[in-house]
Amino acid sequence: MGTIAVAGTAAVVATAALLPAGAPVPVPLGKPSGRTLVCPDLGVAGRVPTRIDLTRPDTSGRVTAALAGLTPARDEAARTPDGWRPPSAVLAGDERRGHLETPGERRPPPRTPAPDLSVLAGLSETDLRNLADQRARDDLSALARLSPAERAEITRLAGPPAPDDLAALAGLSPGERAALPRLAVSFGRPVALRGTDVTGLAATVTAPGGAAGPARARCGPPSGWSWFAGPATVAGHDPLLFLANLGVAPARLSVRVHTPGRAPTVTEVTLPAGATVSRRLAAIAPEAAATVVGVETRAGRVVSWLVDRPSDGEPWELAPVPATATPGHAALLGPLVAPAGTGGAQASVVVAAPAGGARVRVRLVTAGAGPAGADEVVVPDEVVVPDGEAVSVPVTLPRAAALAVRVEALGPAPVVAGLRLPTGAAQGTGLAGDDAVWVPAASLTATGSGGAGLPAAAASPVDVPPVPSDAAGALVLAAPAGRATARLDGRAITVPAGDAVAVPLPVGYPGGGLTVAGGPVVATELVGLPAARAAGADGRGGQDGRPSQDGGLAIRTVSSVLPIATSGAAAPVALAAGPAAAG
């Protein structure tokens, strides 16, 4: 798939909050002429088809598309074996929303809903035995109809001949043998969106994903620092870090990887102009139970992204690791909804202390947890994070309930955090039979009242992307400090202080705009595979925006927890930090 960049002649600084109605709006100096966005390559260099959805708040200007990072001297065909070229005009005239389809070499098979076997519960042993006998007869009948040539082909495929000489494998370590089938990717396929007199452009990229549903990632601008928290590099996992230089001169980077029980690994990278390359995280930090990665751009205009993937899976079975908040003293992971199931959802919080040892407290923000500072304790003891290391903290989350996880550093040293959330997909699929998505953190700045807040930004609605056609969705809102009122496409949603609320999105939701009064509020869009029974005929929950009593968000798996952010933000953001909403 591709990377998106949207470039203009004037830089626009976007902060991560939205002013309440009636509050003063900061006005940038001069009229901005464009932005730069970059969408991560979730197609793994064009191996699977992907889709890029983009929107802008008004119809001013024009947005065009091209492959990013290519100078006129480069041959674009060398970067696109399938010959794909993005259309030159993407948004023009009165269009506010648009999309790009990028092809791929392989297309995943269509998803079929899991069969409902509940009817078998009431059958007698005799009926079950008769069903088994009938299935056996049908199989024998089908085999009997095969021609001799077809039988020979099946026999050949069932038992491929072994290589002549396996002696070369005898001297390999277990890690080296596990790495043999891993997919090697040396570049990505960025796509540049160039805007003229365009502001507020936002974009999201969607890939087929694994057994849990579509994989999604937010698009953002180049940045001096990018942080990613989560994936392991043990057997079965092979995360890839992509680095794209959008500039016309070589770029210089430092990649720092924090792992449990080891000093951080620092790798210096020089990236040619226009190049997009990948690095296997397992080659930098092998056999790590968890990783936290920091990418520092020392020179150039660089975009980085990380994908977790199985070492023995298909190219579409990847899980994006979204960029998380930079090191800070308080962070909110989510909000999210753990998929329905039995018992608690076994998640984990990955925390690193890049600038000195830290003590961390992990708490829950959800219904009944109370105001900030009195949240329900998720991890009863303080967690010690050694200087320069990362730790993985097991947490058990309630299922089918809107929530967020608050991570607080109790000393002067800042921390970086991310959350691993089980998808609810059937075991034995995806990443080493352990499907999970990665949830980034939003930075929270302590205030004198003991709450949290962020500076204010532009006063236009924040984009809520469309829900993929084969998925179900929900908007999840959390208010870690003060009560807030949000409006999604004109519909009011109340979020109590210290609480989280999930709002089902209708099937085929085309996308919309979110505004907030009060707060702060942190928001994400959650997608997954549809449940067998939806929450209601209109795909909505209760009148106040809460899900129904049966947890019915019409989602049976979680394949993505996508930050709802301004186009300049890379993590979930507080959408308001003003006075509490009245009423």
Side-chain angles (χ1 to χ4, degrees), residues 298-413:
R298 297 183 178 274
R301 297 175 61 243
V302 175
V303 175
S304 56
W305 64 94
L306 181 65
V307 294
D308 195 8
R309 58 183 190 148
S311 58
D312 56 353
E314 299 290 350
W316 51 79
E317 291 179 336
L318 57 86
V321 182
T324 195
T326 56
H329 293 88
L332 199 72
L333 297 159
L336 55 95
V337 176
T342 57
Q346 302 305 309
S348 58
V349 175
V350 177
V351 187
R359 294 177 298 113
V360 171
R361 181 168 54 199
V362 181
R363 295 178 177 269
L364 198 63
V365 175
T366 187
D375 313 64
E376 179 182 342
V377 175
V378 177
V379 179
D381 299 322
E382 295 177 3
V383 177
V384 176
V385 186
D387 181 13
E389 296 187 17
V391 299
S392 181
V393 184
V395 296
T396 301
L397 303 177
R399 292 185 178 272
L403 59 93
V405 177
R406 183 171 178 142
V407 176
E408 295 176 283
L410 303 179

Side-chain angles (χ1 to χ4, degrees), residues 113-124 128 131 135 426 532:
D116 184 4
L117 302 180
S118 60
V119 294
L120 300 179
L123 297 181
S124 65
L128 292 173
L131 284 174
R135 174 63 184 269

Side-chain angles (χ1 to χ4, degrees), residues 87 90 97 101 126 138 155-156 160 232 244 249 343 408 414 434 452 465 497 536 549 560 573:
V90 182
R97 288 188 175 272
E101 302 281 353
T126 300
D138 291 344
T155 301
R156 185 186 69 81
E408 295 176 283
D434 188 19
Q549 290 296 324
S560 169
V573 294

